[in-house]
C-alpha cells in the first residue's frame, strides 16, 4: 500500500541554533533532493526549508520501499555532516493522514510563528516546484501539494485569518524597529540579500517613512533590481563593510550557510560608526550576524526567535478564527484521504470485477451451448440472472472495501481480497 511520511523540525520544537544547523539553502535543497533520489529512486520527495521549519516529505505507491525514520535521520545527518543523534533528538515524524493534515495546516499558515502570514504558501509552492524540477515529485506528492495550495486559498477566502496580513517583516518593523527609532525618514537602511523577505521588509519600511535604501547582494544585478524598486542604490558584495558603517538600520536575509558578519569583523567597524545606534533585523536562517554583536554598545540585534512573544500575541488575536479554519482543514483532509484510498483500492476492484466477468462469461457460454436453440428472451433472462448473481456476490466485499477506504484503513481488507481471489498476478 501507498505511504506518506514526514520528518521535520520547526520553531515549536527546535531552537534557532538547531534550525540553522539543520536548514537547507536553495542550492543545498536541490543537491539533497538529487542525492536522496539516487539513494531511494522509487521514493517521491519534497524538501521544505524556511526560517522557522525544515521538513522532508516522502511518499511511495509501495510503502514497503519507503526509508525508515532512522534512514531519514541518517540521510539528513550525512548531508550536513553532523551526528545522527543531533538530528534524531530534534525531529518529529508524521505518517499517513497526519502528514496530509499537517501540510494543509502549514500551507494555510496556521502553524506559522506569525499566524496568517502569506510567505509560507509561497515557500510551499517553491519547495514543490523544486521537487518537480528535479524529478523528485510523483503522483502522490503532486496530489498532496496541489491540494495543500488549494486548501490554503480556501482558508484565506473563507476566514479572516489573513485579513490585515501580518508577516514576520511587518512584526519586525512595527513592533521592534519602532521601539528603537521614532522616525525613519532620516535613517540609512541597508538591505543585505535580495529575496522575498528582503523585499517585503523594505516595503514595510517604506510604509513607515524610510526613504534611503542601500542593497548589498552577492548578485549585483539582482540587488540593483530590488534597489531600483525603492529608488535606492546597490553596492557590490565587497563593499558590505562600508555599507554597515553608514547604516542606521540593517535587514539581513541572505541564504549564507555561515555568519556573514562575525564579532571580530564588527569590532573593526565600530570606531568608524562613532557609537551611532545600529538596529539589526537578522531574519536569516542560519543567522547572518554573530549573536554576540548584540552585546556591543548601541547595537540592537534581533533574530527570528526574538519575534516569538509578539507572534504569540498575534496568534491569540486570531484564535477566534481558528475553529473555522480547522474545520476546513479537517474536511479537506477527510476528502483527500477518501480519494487517496479510493485510488488505492480502485485497481483491485477493477481486477476483481474483470475476473468475475470473465468467469461469468465462460459459464454462461457453456450453459447456453448446452441448452442449444432456445428462445432469445429466455437466453436474455438467463444472462441477466448471471449478472445479478455476480453483482450480489461482489456487493458485500466491495461495499466493505469502499467503507474502509473512506475511513483510511483499507490495507488489511484489500490484502485479504487479493489473497482470497488471487488477484496478485
Amino acid at each position: 500500500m501507498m505511504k506518506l511520511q514526514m520528518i521535520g523540525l520547526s520553531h515549536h520544537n527546535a531552537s534557532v541554533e538547531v534550525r540553522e544547523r539543520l536548514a537547507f539553502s536553495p542550492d543545498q535543497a536541490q543537491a539533497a533532493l538529487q542525492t536522496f533520489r539516487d539513494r531511494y529512486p522509487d521514493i517521491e520527495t519534497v524538501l521544505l526549508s524556511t526560517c522557522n521549519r525544515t521538513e522532508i516529505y516522502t511518499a511511495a505507491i509501495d510503502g514497503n520501499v519507503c526509508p525508515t525514520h532512522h534512514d531519514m535521520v541518517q540521510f539528513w545527518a550525512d548531508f550536513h555532516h553532523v551526528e545522527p543523534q543531533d538530528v534524531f533528538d530534534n525531529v518529529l515524524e508524521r505518517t499517513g493522514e497526519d502528514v496530509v493534515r499537517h501540510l494543509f495546516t502549514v500551507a494555510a499558515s496556521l502553524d506559522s510563528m506569525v499566524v496568517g502570514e502569506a510567505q509560507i504558501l509561497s515557500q510551499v509552492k517553491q519547495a514543490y516546484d523544486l521537487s518537480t524540477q528535479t524529478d523528485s515529485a510523483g503522483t502522490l506528492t503532486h496530489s498532496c501539494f496541489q491540494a495543500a495550495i488549494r486548501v490554503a486559498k480556501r482558508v484565506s477566502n473563507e476566514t479572516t485569518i489573513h485579513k490585515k496580513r501580518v508577516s514576520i517583516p511587518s512584526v519586525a518593523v512595527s513592533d521592534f524597529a519602532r521601539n528603537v527609532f521614532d522616525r525613519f525618514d532620516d535613517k540609512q537602511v541597508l538591505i543585505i540579500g535580495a529575496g522575498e523577505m528582503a523585499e517585503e521588509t523594505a516595503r514595510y519600511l517604506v510604509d513607515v517613512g524610510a526613504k534611503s535604501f542601500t542593497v548589498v547582494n552577492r548578485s549585483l544585478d539582482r540587488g540593483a533590481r530590488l534597489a531600483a524598486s525603492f529608488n535606492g542604490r546597490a553596492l557590490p558584495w565587497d563593499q558590505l563593510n562600508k555599507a554597515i558603517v553608514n547604516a542606521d538600520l540593517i535587514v539581513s536575509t541572505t541564504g549564507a550557510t555561515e555568519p556573514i558578519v562575525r564579532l571580530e569583523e564588527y569590532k573593526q567597524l565600530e570606531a568608524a560608526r562613532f557609537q551611532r545606534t545600529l538596529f539589526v533585523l537578522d531574519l536569516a536562517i542560519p543567522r547572518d550576524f554573530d549573536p554576540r554583536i548584540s552585546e556591543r554598545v548601541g547595537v540592537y540585534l534581533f533574530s527570528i526567535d526574538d519575534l516569538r512573544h509578539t507572534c504569540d500575541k498575534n496568534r491569540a488575536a486570531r484564535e477566534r478564527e481558528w475553529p473555522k479554519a480547522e474545520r476546513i482543514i479537517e474536511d479537506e483532509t477527510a476528502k483527500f484521504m477518501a480519494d487517496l484510498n479510493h485510488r488505492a483500492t480502485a485497481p483491485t476492484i477493477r481486477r476483481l470485477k474483470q475476473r468475475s466477468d470473465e468467469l461469468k462469461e465462460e459459464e454462461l457460454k457453456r450453459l447456453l451451448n448446452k441448452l442449444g436453440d432456445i428462445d432469445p428472451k429466455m437466453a436474455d433472462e438467463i444472462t441477466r440472472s448471471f449478472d445479478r448473481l455476480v453483482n450480489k456476490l461482489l456487493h458485500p466485499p466491495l461495499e466493505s472495501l469502499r467503507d474502509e477506504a473512506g475511513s483510511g484503513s483499507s490495507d488489511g481488507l484489500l490484502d485479504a481480497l487479493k489473497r482470497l481471489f488471487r488477484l496478485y498476478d
Side-chain angles (χ1 to χ4, degrees), residues 306-329:
D306 294 318
L307 302 174
R308 184 178 299 276
H309 178 67
T310 300
C311 294
D312 286 345
K313 290 193 296 183
N314 170 269
R315 178 183 295 269
R318 293 167 188 259
E319 278 185 350
R320 60 179 175 273
E321 283 293 298
W322 280 17
K324 187 187 298 183
E326 288 174 341
R327 283 195 297 271
I328 291 173
I329 288 173

Side-chain angles (χ1 to χ4, degrees), residues 191 193-195 198-199 202 215 221-232:
I191 306 291
E199 182 177 358
V215 178
D221 288 343
R222 189 175 179 186
R225 287 195 295 272
L226 176 60
S229 65
F230 300 104
N231 297 317

